[in-house]
Amino acid sequence: MQPPVLSAMRLGKRFPTGVQALVDVDLDVAPGETLVLIGESGCGKSTLLRMFNRLEEPSAGEVQIRGQRATDLDPIELRRQTGYVLQEGGLLPHWNVARNVELVPELLGWSATRRQQRRDTLLELVGLDPALYASRYAHELSGGQRQRVAFARAIAADPDVILLDEPFGALDALTRVELQEEFARLKARLQKTMLLVTHDLAEAFRLGDRIAVMRQGRILQCAPPRTLQRQPADAYVGELLAHAPEVPE
Amino acid sequence: MRCPRTLTLLVALLALTPATGNAESIVVGSKNFAESRILGEMFARLIESRTDLTVERKLGLAGTQVCFEALRSGGIDLYPEYTGTGLVTILQESPRGDAAWTLDRVRREFLSRWDLWWLAPLGFENAYELAVPSEVAETHNLRSISDLVALAPSMTAGLGYEFAARDDGLPGLERAYGLRFGSVRTMQQALKYQAAGERVIDCLDVYTTDGRLVVHDLVVLADDRGFFPPYEAAALVRGATLQRHPEIGAVIGLLTHALSEERMRQLNLRVEHEAEPVERVAQDALEALGLVGARAVDTVSSRHRSLWRYMWENRRDLGARTLEHLFLSGAGLLLGIIVAVPLGLLLERRRRSAEPLIRVVGTSQTIPSLALLAFMIPFFGVGARPAIVALWLYAIFPILRNTYTGLRDAAPEVVQAATALGMTPAQVLRRVRLPLAMPVIMAGVRTAGVITVGTATLAAFIGAGGLGEPIVAGVQSVDTTVILSGAVPAALLAIAVDALLGAIERWLRPRGVGR
């Protein structure tokens, strides 16, 4: 087995407000794997995600990225090598689509020509015609289009790790399914290591190679969808999975 | 990138700033009532016509304190003052002797303490006195202040602001005569006559040389206990100025004992009651004394003219006032931006101390404008400088508050995304938070702009000019036309500045923000 790209060891996080967000979390994400963190609001899944690009720092335990301690890495460098998509996309409203997609390449100092080529390739990859959309602004796009741009932006500098924080959470049901399917195709094609946070069970089953069920700052069970469904670790997981869709053999 | 645009704007504003400070010129001041203005204008004209010096006028400064501070700090070189005022208000001594004693006393004290010189008296006294409508005097058989004492508790007195507070005014009168009015209303000198005519007030303080005593049918009550000190009018000049230009002493000396009380009353009446321009009245008086040659006075009277006609005929002066006004408020605003925006940036990184500090700065808004302006004089003299400093203080708060909250509340999810993708904090600030906060910051600048344009009308009280000048002068002579000739352009200017800043805001606002 290859060494994990992302790992958390006995990770704990206590906020200054006294809230214990994470307790003794152990987690490994293998190269090319898509791991989904699922749980109710406030279970600590987003906090765990944000540990991997150092938007949050642990108060106990350790985060490792490609075998290196996260605290030994420069956070700015680390973030530029890590894709990130959040719920509402977080597109810079005062920059057009082109500039948004070119953001990380620009920070990395790529030449203008290289950036433009990359941008056009990516926009086509996520299904947006560069000629039509490159000069648009966020407020001129639909919710689904914004998430497509956000995804293109996340993979612009070709990071091997992508963190996604409820990327489809704010979309209407139809658009969500459409984007999830497209995402599944892209995922197969790109072979990236992905950590995805959601509270949508169907989404977790559709996209996750493995699913980690979280509750009150702990990981209750982390396993492939089918194992999860057949051998739930405890009553909570069982209850949760009772509503899960059939997993194809 | 918005930087080039912001820079362009700054450079443009700086280019508009007129160069200040000119070659040797003598600054003549006066207080803000007709007689003081006439005398100040006479001094100015005499110096202009009989020496090679150029004269700058700062007429209509708000009261004794402002004039005196201005003189002491070198903001003005001379102004007309009264010996009694020098003794009681400035030296804070109680009156003890006659006119000659008083003059001698103030001369010696002013010279040794501040190197200020009282030139020879102009020939008339202008003391405070109490007056009542003749009808009241007849009904109650009032002749002196002593007669008034019994009746006063049932009376309403209308008094000037200074008189009500000065030791040689009401407080002293209360001690000397046991005089207690039923109620006291303080109001502008000019308004008191109207109030007495309408019997809103029954008693008022007047000046000996007040032209309106005759017109308004008032009876002056005798000061039977000799409470009011002698008030001989004379020029008060800086020693340093006299040393550099001894000719000033000689020229003003031509007015020694040249003006009688009767003569002064007539001159005052022309300004106060007939709305004649101070410049013409002063010129006529000097011509009549044979001190200057005949010369047409290039000013416009508001008499028998509609507001628009008056404003049109007076357009050159109003244009200059408008420019002064714009300069004062523009400089205050610009300095406000230069200080408040960086301070807002700094506070945003020190949030714990931000709220208390912003609240402290906020109290600056509650200081009455006139008080703030007057407060500046000891530090900055008179004229544009203290006015700009005061306007600057007013401009800081709205810009600071909006910069701080604009940055603090700038779209958190966007800031998070920018951080998560690897922007450094400095990049996040410059490329994300500042552009996103721009509409809020500019709204603060707009508020500050309207405040400074509005408050700049008060700058006239400390000799900084602006559109407040005609307003102050108009209030003095109860001349609505003159008041409006300043007030209407000032209001239009506020609207225009707001519209202009609004346009700049739209220009600076990044596409995609604030919709």
Side-chain angles (χ1 to χ4, degrees), chain A residues 50 53 55 76 79-80 82 84 86 89-95 99 103-104 106-107 135 137 139-140 153, chain B residues 1-2 411 413-425 427 431-432 435-436 510-513 515:
Chain A
R50 291 153 57 84
N53 59 359
L55 287 177
I76 303 295
R79 289 172 196 158
R80 290 177 185 177
T82 311
Y84 187 76
L86 64 167
L91 297 187
L92 310 193
H94 57 303
W95 285 7
R99 269 193 93 184
L103 173 67
V104 182
E106 196 218 312
L107 292 175
S135 57
Y137 286 80
H139 71 273
E140 297 163 333
R153 183 175 69 176
Chain B
M1 296 292 284
R2 303 293 138 187
E413 75 286 353
V414 177
V415 171
Q416 199 197 103
T419 309
L421 289 168
M423 278 197 189
T424 62
Q427 285 170 331
R431 304 176 70 177
V432 181
L436 294 186
R511 215 184 137 192
V513 174
R515 254 161 256 261

Side-chain angles (χ1 to χ4, degrees), chain A residues 27-144:
Chain A
L27 187 74
D28 285 330
V29 187
E33 182 186 29
T34 297
L35 191 134
V36 176
L37 300 173
I38 191 163
E40 298 160 355
S41 311
C43 69
K45 55 191 192 298
S46 284
T47 308
L48 179 56
L49 180 89
R50 291 153 57 84
M51 292 278 173
F52 292 101
N53 59 359
R54 293 192 64 185
L55 287 177
E56 302 286 356
E57 302 293 353
S59 21
E62 189 175 292
V63 169
Q64 285 194 359
I65 292 150
R66 290 174 216 93
Q68 278 186 291
R69 267 203 299 248
T71 42
D72 292 342
L73 299 167
D74 174 53
I76 303 295
E77 292 294 312
L78 170 66
R79 289 172 196 158
R80 290 177 185 177
Q81 292 160 14
T82 311
Y84 187 76
V85 180
L86 64 167
Q87 187 170 18
E88 297 275 11
L91 297 187
L92 310 193
H94 57 303
W95 285 7
N96 62 19
V97 167
R99 269 193 93 184
N100 266 288
V101 174
E102 291 173 37
L103 173 67
V104 182
E106 196 218 312
L107 292 175
L108 293 172
W110 291 18
S111 75
T113 351
R114 188 170 164 215
R115 288 202 314 253
Q116 274 168 27
Q117 270 172 6
R118 179 70 181 157
R119 172 240 294 168
D120 288 348
T121 314
L122 285 171
L123 284 178
E124 275 161 20
L125 185 72
V126 298
L128 297 172
D129 179 0
L132 217 55
Y133 290 98
S135 57
R136 295 223 186 154
Y137 286 80
H139 71 273
E140 297 163 333
L141 301 175
S142 71

Side-chain angles (χ1 to χ4, degrees), chain B residues 328-340:
Chain B
L328 293 174
S329 32
L333 182 63
L334 194 65
L335 290 172
I337 296 171
I338 290 172
V339 168

Side-chain angles (χ1 to χ4, degrees), chain B residues 341-408:
Chain B
V341 172
L343 190 60
L345 291 174
L346 193 75
L347 284 186
E348 205 281 323
R349 307 185 66 169
R350 308 243 185 293
R351 294 210 186 162
R352 201 174 300 234
S353 45
E355 290 295 344
L357 194 112
I358 290 176
R359 224 167 297 138
V360 169
V361 174
T363 57
S364 71
Q365 286 331 82
T366 63
I367 305 172
S369 330
L370 198 52
L372 185 61
L373 285 167
F375 183 70
M376 294 294 147
I377 300 211
F379 304 102
F380 302 102
V382 285
R385 210 180 312 164
I388 289 171
V389 173
L391 294 172
W392 168 65
L393 288 178
Y394 276 115
I396 288 179
F397 176 65
I399 304 174
L400 175 66
R401 188 195 50 205
N402 279 34
T403 305
Y404 173 71
T405 55
L407 284 173
R408 188 192 58 190

